[in-house]
Amino acid sequence: MTSQFPKRAIGKRQGRILALATAFCAGIATQPVAAQTLSFETGFEQLSSPQTLIEGLNRIYVGYQFTDNLSFGQSFYSAVQGDAGGAFFWGFEGVARMPLSKGLSLSASGFIGGGGGAAQVIGDGTMIRAGLALDYQIADSWAVQLTGSWISIDGAPIDGPAFGVGLRRQIGKQAPGGWDAQLDAAGGTITGMVAPSGVLNRAGQPQDRVALVGARALFGLGRNTQLSLGAAGAASGAQGYMQVMAGLRRNFALGPATLFVEGGVGFGGGGEVDTGAGPLLEAVAGVSLPVTRELDAQLAVGGLIAPTGDFRAAGVSLSILRNFARTRGDAGLGERPNRWAFSGGISVQQTGGNYFLNANTASFVVMQESSFDYFLGENLYVSGNGQTALHGGIAGYAVGLLGLGYQVDISPRWAVSLEGHIGAAGGGGVNVAGGIVGSLRAEIDYSITDRVALSLGLGKMRAVRGNGLDSNIATLGLKIPFSTR
């Protein structure tokens, strides 16, 4: 792939930015945290001198609070100003806070990840961000922020300051005034979207029907009210399209069934879908029916619009969700903790054959990936996996997978597992032959401590339809087991 932008590695300036942020974080993380909590931050930053259609980014960060002053987790950045809907960047971030006075603190953050999209990033897509924020506490667990950062993206002329505003929330039972949000349900979803006549894509052609596959989680906020979080990618009709949505859901019991209405906001783009700058608005109504004691089937209809673009669509979705709320607190099953594992690291995909749509000499590509595994029993688990590009000249390439795994402990510290996935992928000039991909991998884990394991995997991923990518893969990362009730 020939780049129209100067290609560069992580240089001295970017290295110094990340090193300074890391040193700041390490230097003030000195006190143990009183309770296990999460830190949630979101905000908007405008690039000071935009030279692409990406003029501003929305940031969503969720981190685990290791100490009172230090958290580490993952962030998702998406285009929200300009005309680059579909530009997404996802990776790992650490945040540290230094109290200055009562209600006022200074926080620093360091992010590294990858992504791209909207034809604005041509190259590897590695993104580095070092940020500072002045936090002012407006309630026990809420703070507003004035933010400034230096953002550098490999493959685009983006290497400079950005400024904006943000909001921070502490989440957890022990946080003063904290939000005791509980996971009510999680699972997979399939959505079919049809655009009205006259809706055009970015190429000026009639917008095709789009089929999405993805995952959704519901968190209880109070009686009959839930927070809905979901992400999905195109399996057909718009190869490379992706959306991330958040909404409020209101439930109405009707015998064994539950009726619900939901309003949501989010970001989406890619696959020539004209979402403008990227924001999306959604309205949904549906019904949820218990299939078994633990599983629900949900059927919903709704509408989706891009307020800054031409895209409009009506949709029908079917979801199969594991219901945690129904068995929570029951004798037996409900009192057993739900076993989970989070994995984060990198994966390497071997190229060759029909891997690329365009000319590209890379013999391998590097992805950053994250997974959540939910155990259905002692050994069997459901796995959700997301990946974005870090290296290989495929900026904008992303993968989302759902599957099943089986783990066997072979000693107190060693375990092996086998996983099979299916999902959606696209972007970056990778030939996914329509968007549906499948993968099979074997992993071996070594427990460094009771809370962290080193994981190594080998496997294969290929396009399900047509003559597309057929790649050997290797993975390396850390796996963190945890439980919920």
Side-chain angles (χ1 to χ4, degrees):
M1 181 183 296
T2 302
S3 173
Q4 69 187 69
F5 303 127
K7 187 173 177 64
R8 61 186 187 277
I10 298 175
K12 292 183 179 179
R13 177 165 56 182
Q14 293 94 330
R16 285 197 297 267
I17 292 169
L18 195 60
L20 286 172
T22 302
F24 185 97
C25 291
I28 69 172
T30 57
Q31 298 182 12
V33 69
Q36 295 183 358
T37 61
L38 296 178
S39 182
F40 170 82
E41 298 182 12
T42 187
F44 162 77
E45 286 189 333
Q46 183 177 27
L47 302 179
S48 61
S49 300
Q51 299 181 56
T52 71
L53 296 179
I54 304 172
E55 298 179 3
L57 294 172
N58 174 261
R59 170 178 176 260
I60 298 174
Y61 167 75
V62 178
Y64 178 81
Q65 204 74 38
F66 285 95
T67 75
D68 288 333
N69 295 323
L70 179 66
S71 66
F72 184 81
Q74 291 204 284
S75 285
F76 183 82
Y77 292 82
S78 58
V80 72
Q81 184 180 13
D83 191 22
F88 298 107
F89 304 89
W90 176 35
F92 301 97
E93 186 160 2
V95 177
R97 290 193 298 120
M98 178 184 292
L100 301 177
S101 65
K102 184 177 180 180
L104 192 66
S105 63
L106 179 69
S107 63
S109 59
F111 167 88
I112 184 167
Q120 300 304 295
V121 183
I122 310 297
D124 288 340
T126 306
M127 172 177 161
I128 293 176
R129 175 187 179 274
L132 288 174
L134 189 64
D135 297 24
Y136 180 72
Q137 208 80 17
I138 58 174
D140 286 338
S141 296
W142 289 97
V144 293
Q145 301 175 315
L146 291 177
T147 66
S149 67
W150 191 280
I151 298 174
S152 179
I153 300 176
D154 184 20
I158 299 175
D159 191 1
F163 303 94
V165 295
L167 189 67
R168 177 172 57 84
R169 171 79 182 190
Q170 293 299 114
I171 304 173
K173 289 184 177 181
Q174 303 302 320
W179 168 32
D180 183 17
Q182 297 189 38
L183 178 62
D184 283 351
T189 182
I190 301 173
T191 304
M193 298 192 301
V194 179
S197 176
V199 173
L200 304 179
N201 62 19
R202 288 187 181 271
Q205 301 299 315
Q207 176 62 56
D208 289 338
R209 297 182 178 184
V210 181
L212 302 175
V213 294
R216 181 177 300 276
L218 299 173
F219 296 86
L221 299 181
R223 184 175 178 83
N224 298 322
T225 303
Q226 293 173 312
L227 170 67
S228 173
L229 299 176
S236 67
Q239 178 177 312
Y241 176 79
M242 176 183 173
Q243 66 180 42
V244 177
M245 303 296 296
L248 286 177
R249 175 176 294 195
R250 186 69 174 175
N251 298 304
F252 305 91
L254 188 64
T258 300
L259 303 180
F260 61 86
V261 294
E262 181 179 324
V265 297
F267 306 94
E272 295 290 349
V273 178
D274 185 7
T275 58
L280 298 172
L281 300 176
E282 181 182 48
V284 173
V287 60
S288 178
L289 289 168
V291 178
T292 69
R293 179 169 178 75
E294 300 179 30
L295 295 179
D296 289 345
Q298 297 188 354
L299 180 66
V301 296
L304 185 72
I305 66 170
T308 61
D310 190 56
F311 184 59
R312 308 284 189 275
V316 178
S317 66
L318 175 65
S319 304
I320 301 296
L321 304 180
R322 164 67 163 92
N323 191 311
F324 301 101
R326 189 160 50 241
T327 57
R328 188 179 293 133
D330 288 356
L333 176 65
E335 293 186 349
R336 294 205 308 266
N338 297 294
R339 289 177 56 209
W340 298 80
F342 167 78
S343 302
I346 62 171
S347 64
V348 177
Q349 298 181 13
Q350 183 184 34
T351 66
N354 298 306
Y355 189 94
F356 297 110
L357 289 168
N358 307 308
N360 190 316
T361 59
S363 59
F364 65 91
V365 301
V366 180
M367 311 286 288
Q368 74 87 22
E369 68 168 55
S370 302
S371 297
F372 279 96
D373 303 332
Y374 172 69
F375 283 80
L376 301 174
E378 187 67 26
N379 305 105
L380 185 67
Y381 60 90
V382 177
S383 180
N385 176 281
Q387 306 174 34
T388 54
L390 284 176
H391 173 79
I394 55 168
Y397 176 51
V399 181
L401 303 169
L402 288 172
L404 287 173
Y406 193 86
Q407 176 179 298
V408 177
D409 295 329
I410 57 178
S411 78
R413 289 195 175 273
W414 292 91
V416 295
S417 58
L418 181 67
E419 296 181 2
H421 307 92
I422 191 165
V430 177
N431 181 14
V432 295
I436 301 180
V437 296
S439 75
L440 185 68
R441 69 170 70 175
E443 295 181 346
I444 184 166
D445 303 336
Y446 174 74
S447 296
I448 303 171
T449 70
D450 291 340
R451 296 184 178 182
V452 179
L454 181 67
S455 182
L456 174 67
L458 295 173
K460 197 172 190 65
M461 186 170 73
R462 62 170 298 167
V464 173
R465 299 183 304 212
N467 192 19
L469 72 87
D470 188 351
S471 176
N472 296 319
I473 58 175
T475 66
L476 177 65
L478 295 177
K479 187 172 292 186
I480 303 172
F482 66 99
S483 62
T484 61
R485 290 185 181 273

